[in-house]
Amino acid sequence: MANATVAAYAPGRVELLGNHTDYNEGLVLAAAIDRGLTVRGSTVHGSISLESASMGSATISLSDLKPQKGETRWANYALGVAAELIARGIPLEGFCAQIEGDLPRGNGLSSSAAFEVATALLVLELCHSHLPRIEIAKVCQRAEHTFVGVQSGLLDQVTSIFGQADHVVCFDARSEEVRVIPFPPDLALIVAQSNTPRELADGKYNERRRETAAAARALNVRALRDVSMTDLESRPNMDATLRRRATHVVGENERVARAIEALARDDAADFGALMNASHESSRTNFQNSTPQLDLLVDLARSLPGVFGSRLTGGGFGGATVTLCRRDKSDDIAARLRDAPQTGSAVARSVFLCNVADGARLIPL
Ligand code: GLA
């Protein structure tokens, strides 16, 4: 590969509250974490060449830029971004890039968004072009829709781009307003991977997206953002599955609003209780948890110093996020890691994460 001339880094994220609300025009609280992905590259003419120690290599001609099948499917995140940037008039002639990082793939921590966002920053810089940050997020989201086939919302890309150290990102998916709120220094976040990869769950994700859209139609509103719990209660004849899906999304929007107040009061116990309620709603209403995720959540909640624990991201596998006292976090992480594996034996990897800055160009 030609010597790299540009390098871009994008972090993964944890979703703290606001599960499956983004594509329902709702509210989300999330944070960029101190693990991510770096893409180093330079301009080449006529093709896109990608190289990664863990994923392999792929070279695709620009004249044949389309979603890949089989072994090089992993390249679709970068190829999709390239195609979307070209569609927006960015004068991309081709590039080669090396990808590396410490973000576990397919585990609900948005390794795909990190790959897309880092690629977008790299390509824009190579092309001496500029796009507003929210537009970069949308380019990456479109790549996910058109090249990957997941109808995801904007949460992952927005958090990876707008993340700020020691701050939580608050995203209103209707107005597209992004705010940051200080994350209390005496709290810590622990990620526990269930090691049941999310990759196979894409079909389920799209199904939930269709169900929530159907629920909005049944309730005669533009999006579930426009629905309250009282509205739901006044519609006893609604299809039971659609009602459960809607109850989750409506509840999540309410929980995000309450969590913002809890953060302002420095009330970790209330924030944690909202996380617990979120997981319970995932388990029963949205049915996007798994026995492994439930087990991890139960384990975390049994440990002193833990305020709350829930699945993070799309669900159907992936990871949990646990909010706890910082001064107890090493101990809690160790106990989560070492707890005897019962029931549906979970092969756990557990790590503490710091709330970190968002995507950026970095020195070579
Ligand atoms: C995935 C998607 C996001 C969001 C979450 C669930 O991470 O990429 O857009 O929908 O699931 O909240």
Side-chain angles (χ1 to χ4, degrees):
M1 202 187 88
N3 282 341
T5 55
V6 174
Y9 169 82
R13 63 97 190 91
V14 281
E15 169 201 278
L16 296 173
L17 277 170
N19 189 243
H20 288 257
T21 51
D22 58 355
Y23 57 82
N24 288 298
E25 303 190 13
L27 304 169
V28 196
L29 277 182
I33 60 173
D34 53 351
R35 286 183 179 230
L37 193 137
T38 299
V39 176
R40 291 187 177 79
S42 56
T43 297
V44 294
H45 293 275
S47 65
I48 297 176
S49 288
L50 303 165
E51 218 176 276
S52 143
S54 62
M55 297 178 284
S57 58
T59 298
I60 287 93
S61 163
L62 259 199
S63 59
D64 191 26
L65 189 50
K66 58 172 191 252
Q68 305 297 296
K69 298 194 175 84
E71 271 182 10
T72 53
R73 268 181 53 218
W74 61 270
N76 284 335
Y77 301 99
L79 301 179
V81 167
E84 291 300 327
L85 287 173
I86 292 170
R88 287 189 178 229
I90 303 297
L92 172 61
E93 294 171 21
F95 66 97
C96 58
Q98 259 168 354
I99 304 117
E100 63 181 33
D102 57 1
L103 192 59
R105 284 177 62 208
N107 248 303
L109 302 174
S110 290
S111 56
S112 5
F115 189 11
E116 292 152 9
V117 169
T119 305
L121 293 191
L122 174 95
V123 169
L124 286 168
E125 183 67 9
L126 289 175
C127 298
H128 310 291
S129 299
H130 177 80
L131 279 180
R133 289 191 293 172
I134 191 77
E135 294 306 317
I136 298 177
K138 288 182 189 175
V139 159
C140 296
Q141 180 198 25
R142 290 232 4 109
E144 193 114 0
H145 290 190
T146 55
F147 269 61
V148 182
V150 182
Q151 300 299 312
S152 56
L154 266 175
L155 155 71
D156 304 347
Q157 293 84 1
V158 160
T159 312
S160 181
I161 292 174
F162 288 87
Q164 195 175 309
D166 306 321
H167 285 75
V168 168
V169 174
C170 178
F171 176 51
D172 180 331
R174 171 163 282 172
S175 67
E176 295 179 353
E177 184 201 8
V178 184
R179 289 193 291 144
V180 291
I181 305 175
F183 181 74
D186 54 339
L187 298 181
L189 296 171
I190 297 174
V191 165
Q193 296 172 240
S194 71
N195 290 344
T196 37
R198 272 211 60 227
E199 262 163 275
L200 299 173
D202 295 348
K204 286 279 178 204
Y205 183 94
N206 291 344
E207 182 185 277
R208 291 297 180 276
R209 186 162 182 156
R210 285 193 299 274
E211 287 169 342
T212 52
R217 277 196 303 277
L219 291 158
N220 216 9
V221 291
R222 169 173 141 171
L224 289 179
R225 169 67 176 272
D226 301 308
V227 178
S228 67
M229 282 298 179
T230 322
D231 295 335
L232 273 180
E233 278 151 21
S234 69
R235 296 291 297 267
N237 298 328
M238 200 174 160
D239 171 87
T241 302
L242 297 191
R243 168 187 296 282
R244 280 207 297 271
R245 307 302 187 237
T247 301
H248 180 65
V249 172
V250 172
E252 284 296 280
N253 281 330
E254 291 185 0
R255 282 186 278 278
V256 170
R258 286 173 55 195
I260 293 170
E261 291 167 13
L263 276 178
R265 290 195 307 275
D266 213 1
D267 189 342
D270 198 29
F271 197 107
L274 292 163
M275 291 173 74
N276 290 343
S278 167
H279 187 82
E280 190 53 19
S281 175
S282 268
R283 198 176 66 77
T284 56
N285 293 320
F286 216 64
Q287 296 175 299
N288 62 335
S289 188
T290 61
Q292 290 87 347
L293 291 169
D294 295 343
L295 197 75
L296 286 170
V297 159
D298 287 346
L299 235 161
R301 289 179 191 162
S302 71
L303 301 173
V306 167
F307 295 107
S309 187
R310 63 181 289 271
L311 67 81
T312 186
F316 309 108
T320 64
V321 59
T322 295
L323 180 74
C324 66
R325 282 174 52 169
R326 181 164 286 279
D327 60 352
K328 296 237 188 270
S329 56
D330 285 328
D331 184 45
I332 293 168
R335 290 179 67 179
L336 262 178
R337 204 175 287 124
D338 299 339
Q341 307 206 357
T342 52
S344 42
V346 186
R348 285 184 280 272
S349 40
V350 177
F351 58 89
L352 263 163
C353 53
N354 290 309
V355 178
D357 280 327
R360 58 202 177 264
L361 295 173
I362 55 170
L364 280 165

